[in-house]
Amino acid sequence: MKALEAIKAVAIFQESVLDWHKKEAPHPNPYPEGTLEFTLYQKNHIDTIQWHIEDEIRRPDIALEEVVALKRKIDKLNQDRTDMVEKLDDFVIEMFRTVTPKPDARLNSESPAWLLDRMSILELKIYHMEEQVNRKDSSATKEHIEKCQAKLTVLLDQREDLKKCLEELFDDYAKGIKRVKVYRQMKMYNDQNLNPSLYKNQK
């Protein structure tokens, strides 16, 4: 399997963000199921949905029962997000399966999929910061626009840095300078067999 290009991953994340915002609703995944592209798109789609639920839950006027319902949606999306990251790591493992690491090959503190996770969320930050920069309503002061423009400049710089980090990491894997090693998240709070608050209340 050919190594993923960072520019392609960013393009798929951007596509997902734009697709959701066309109707502010879930959008069909345009890629064949089971492909890397499908998984990248789905990963960002989950992030996009969660982004807007995180916005909604912070409204001061919503009822307590709605807050609880939204929090449970966020918990489910967090689990889905982790599942997607692990699927992405599976693709990375397959990409470099035939590479024999050098004896002194180093490990990376985060897997490529968690780096992709950061890149996915970054595209949401950029999209919404651009929205702020382009606001025309009366409450958007000149000072607000200028502050958001400064933040957007930093986010765009971070995009380039993260793309470079991913490319360099893949290059190190390909050369055997670093070795691929993936740890699963093993989240416990959603598992009724691992979360005491769940299994102690089972009848």
Side-chain angles (χ1 to χ4, degrees):
M1 180 182 290
K2 182 180 177 182
L4 172 68
E5 293 182 356
I7 192 170
K8 181 177 181 180
V10 169
I12 292 173
F13 293 152
Q14 291 170 338
E15 180 183 12
S16 167
V17 172
L18 291 173
D19 284 347
W20 192 92
H21 284 90
K22 288 174 183 176
K23 295 183 178 180
E24 295 197 354
H27 187 278
N29 194 316
Y31 297 99
E33 190 168 356
T35 64
L36 174 57
E37 292 80 5
F38 179 96
T39 309
L40 288 166
Y41 186 97
Q42 197 68 17
K43 167 69 180 69
N44 179 269
H45 213 53
I46 291 167
D47 294 337
T48 304
I49 293 168
Q50 182 169 343
W51 178 286
H52 292 89
I53 294 178
E54 294 276 10
D55 277 352
E56 193 69 13
I57 203 172
R58 285 164 173 78
R59 282 174 44 200
D61 61 326
I62 59 176
L64 182 58
E65 58 268 22
E66 191 174 351
V67 172
V68 173
L70 290 172
K71 179 62 173 72
R72 287 181 175 167
K73 284 184 181 179
I74 290 169
D75 284 346
K76 174 64 166 60
L77 287 164
N78 269 326
Q79 187 62 59
D80 292 344
R81 171 190 173 211
T82 299
D83 292 345
M84 285 295 108
V85 169
E86 293 188 348
K87 285 184 180 180
L88 287 172
D89 268 331
D90 288 340
F91 279 106
V92 173
I93 290 169
E94 188 60 33
M95 284 176 197
F96 301 101
R97 187 175 297 280
T98 61
V99 176
T100 301
K102 295 181 179 180
D104 59 347
R106 295 173 284 112
L107 290 171
N108 207 56
S109 61
E110 65 177 354
S111 74
W114 282 108
L115 177 51
L116 285 163
D117 173 74
R118 292 169 60 198
M119 293 168 71
S120 172
I121 295 169
L122 180 63
E123 289 310 313
L124 283 159
K125 292 181 181 179
I126 290 172
Y127 180 92
H128 289 97
M129 197 62 71
E130 285 176 339
E131 272 192 332
Q132 293 301 312
V133 169
N134 294 319
R135 274 176 61 183
K136 303 298 181 185
D137 58 280
S138 58
S139 61
T141 64
K142 181 181 178 182
E143 181 184 14
H144 174 80
I145 301 298
E146 288 175 350
K147 284 183 178 179
C148 290
Q149 182 60 64
K151 291 177 181 179
L152 178 59
T153 299
V154 174
L155 292 172
L156 292 172
D157 189 43
Q158 187 180 7
R159 173 197 277 165
E160 296 308 309
D161 286 345
L162 291 183
K163 282 162 59 178
K164 185 176 181 182
C165 287
L166 185 66
E167 295 285 0
E168 289 178 349
L169 181 56
F170 281 160
D171 188 53
D172 285 347
Y173 284 155
K175 293 175 180 176
I177 297 173
K178 287 188 176 179
R179 55 192 175 96
V180 182
K181 188 173 183 180
V182 171
Y183 290 96
R184 301 307 186 186
Q185 288 299 299
M186 301 182 193
K187 287 186 179 291
M188 300 175 71
Y189 53 74
N190 284 330
D191 191 322
Q192 63 181 2
N193 296 313
L194 298 176
N195 181 341
S197 295
L198 297 178
Y199 64 70
K200 286 181 179 179
N201 290 308
Q202 288 180 12
K203 293 182 180 179

